[in-house]
Every structure is written in C-alpha cells, then in structure tokens.
Amino acid sequence: HSVLTQPPSVSGAPGQRVTISCTGNSSNIGATYDVHWYQQLPGTAPKLLIYGNINRPSGVPDRFSASKSGTSASLAITGLQAEDEADYYCQSYDSSLSASVFGGGTKLTVL
Amino acid sequence: EVQLVQSGAEVKKPGESLKIFCKGSGDNFANLWIAWVRQMPGRGLEWLGIIYPADSDTRYSPSFQGQVTISADKSINTAYLQWSSLKASDTAIYYCARQSLSMFGDYYYAMDVWGQGTTVTVSS
C-alpha cells in the first residue's frame, strides 16, 4: 500500500469542479514537507502539475489549483474538460523512510 | 532545458541481468539529481532512488535497497538502473526524472522533467 492515501477514482461532468485528496501522516505531509501533484495521461509519462503545495509550472492552466493543511493536501480541477481525464498522483517526502513517496493515484473520469 | 531520453523496451527471462539508461541533454547533467520511478502494470508510481552524477552520491528507498543498483557516468550525461537477477515481479515501466532539492537542500522535492519510460518485461 502507498504511504500517501488517495481515493482510487473520482468523476465529474464537463464544466464541473472535482477535488482529489491526499492524506499522509506526521512523517511526511504533517511534517511540513511540500506536496507535489502529477498528471499522467494514458500511455504517457507523468507530468508535473503542481509543485510546492500550490504552485503551477508554466503552461499549466489555472483551472488546476491545490492546497495543503495539516496531514492532508488537495487538488482541485474546475471547468472540467474531456482532456483532463487522466491519473493524478500526489508526492511528498517521508522523513522516516528518507525517501520520496507517492500516493496510490486517482483516476479521473470525465462523464 | 534538459531533456531525458531513455533506452528502449527490454524483454528478459527470470535470472537474467539488465542495465537500462537515461541520457540527459545539456551541459549541466552532472549537477542534476536524477530519480528512478517504477510503475508496475496497472499500478501507481513508486520512487526507487536517486543519484547525483557529479559525485555519484546515491540514495535508495528502503523498499528497493539491494533490489536494484543506480549508477551514473557524468562524462556521457547518463544515469543507469540495473538488476543482477531479474524476477517476473520486476516487470514494469521505469521512468527517470530530474528531481530538485528543497530550498535548503535538505530533502527531495518535485520531479519536473521526465524521460519517456522504459518498459521491462520479465517472462519465462
């Protein structure tokens, strides 16, 4: 099982807003280590979507936003589009493992 | 901007050895941290470890320590991931990625440049 916990799947209709949660513990997210989010379109390599809890790399639409509080983080996607259908992963650092860790991933389906 | 290009797909038998590579463009490769990430069929991402080619400083996730070897040759801008004796459970896509350090350099941060992935299939 993954160190960070994400829901296996979420769905929404085009134009709607969805959120994806990422829950950790006091060795990772709760220890104030930053959370990053990745989008993986089918058959492609992951792409950095959000870094440092809230920051979007150049080229990422502002429909994507994220937040962090306590031992959890959250990714929000507004104005859902068909092209957003993908797997989404959160990632942080775990001090007990001295390693980067990922969430199990969440499959977003656009209805 | 650095680009990472990985070696092609491999099909191997259990017990065989394998070394795959990740070649970086640009003249600053040695001073990048390069991570390796595994994705088993239909599963999520797993961080294997990381290397700093400038001095070959290497760290492993506890789950993969002793299971794989990460190395690099800074003279040719290349990082490697190798197995001495493959198992069927090593079947996966393996990605390399540039991973930055935190502001104070005390922990591994985000992975902003990814290779295209190398598919490794281990089957008898």
Side-chain angles (χ1 to χ4, degrees):
Chain A
H1 69 95
S2 302
V3 173
L4 305 179
T5 301
Q6 299 180 233
S9 63
V10 297
S11 63
Q16 285 191 331
R17 177 181 186 269
V18 295
T19 61
I20 298 172
S21 62
C22 174
T23 302
N25 58 37
S26 59
S27 295
N28 40 68
I29 299 175
T32 72
Y33 294 115
D34 285 351
V35 178
H36 321 292
W37 292 89
Y38 301 86
Q39 177 193 60
Q40 187 177 32
L41 297 170
T44 69
K47 167 191 168 186
L48 181 63
L49 197 63
I50 298 283
Y51 67 94
N53 304 316
I54 61 171
N55 303 294
R56 286 187 307 276
S58 174
V60 174
D62 60 6
R63 300 187 296 103
F64 294 91
S65 63
S67 62
K68 174 190 161 186
S69 179
T71 59
S72 295
S74 182
L75 173 71
I77 310 171
T78 58
L80 264 182
Q81 299 181 2
E83 67 202 49
D84 298 332
E85 192 160 282
D87 294 323
Y88 293 84
Y89 295 89
C90 59
Q91 176 243 315
S92 186
Y93 178 81
D94 191 287
S95 58
S96 66
L97 300 172
S98 296
S100 289
V101 290
F102 285 99
T106 299
K107 181 176 182 59
L108 168 63
T109 299
V110 180
L111 302 171
Chain B
E1 173 74 357
V2 68
Q3 290 187 316
L4 301 174
V5 178
Q6 298 185 231
S7 47
E10 301 274 1
V11 179
K12 292 289 193 180
K13 289 181 166 40
E16 291 186 331
S17 63
L18 175 64
K19 191 173 189 177
I20 62 175
F21 70 78
C22 168
K23 185 170 176 61
S25 62
D27 55 8
N28 196 37
F29 182 84
N31 296 310
L32 306 176
W33 285 90
I34 300 296
W36 286 94
V37 175
R38 180 176 83 172
Q39 187 167 38
M40 298 175 74
R43 307 294 294 274
L45 305 174
E46 300 172 276
W47 190 86
L48 278 67
I50 193 167
I51 189 165
Y52 187 63
D55 61 8
S56 289
D57 184 5
T58 307
R59 317 287 174 82
Y60 295 93
S61 166
S63 298
F64 292 94
Q65 179 82 47
Q67 306 305 306
V68 297
T69 301
I70 295 171
S71 60
D73 183 342
K74 63 181 180 181
S75 68
I76 56 171
N77 287 1
T78 302
Y80 301 97
L81 178 66
Q82 70 180 94
W83 297 259
S84 58
S85 181
L86 286 160
K87 303 183 287 289
S89 57
D90 293 317
T91 295
I93 300 174
Y94 293 86
Y95 295 101
C96 63
R98 178 177 73 175
Q99 185 164 21
S100 54
L101 297 186
S102 60
M103 183 184 302
F104 299 106
D106 55 342
Y107 67 95
Y108 312 123
Y109 206 62
M111 289 169 264
D112 64 341
V113 178
W114 292 71
Q116 83 276 19
T118 295
T119 299
V120 175
T121 303
V122 184
S123 174
S124 54

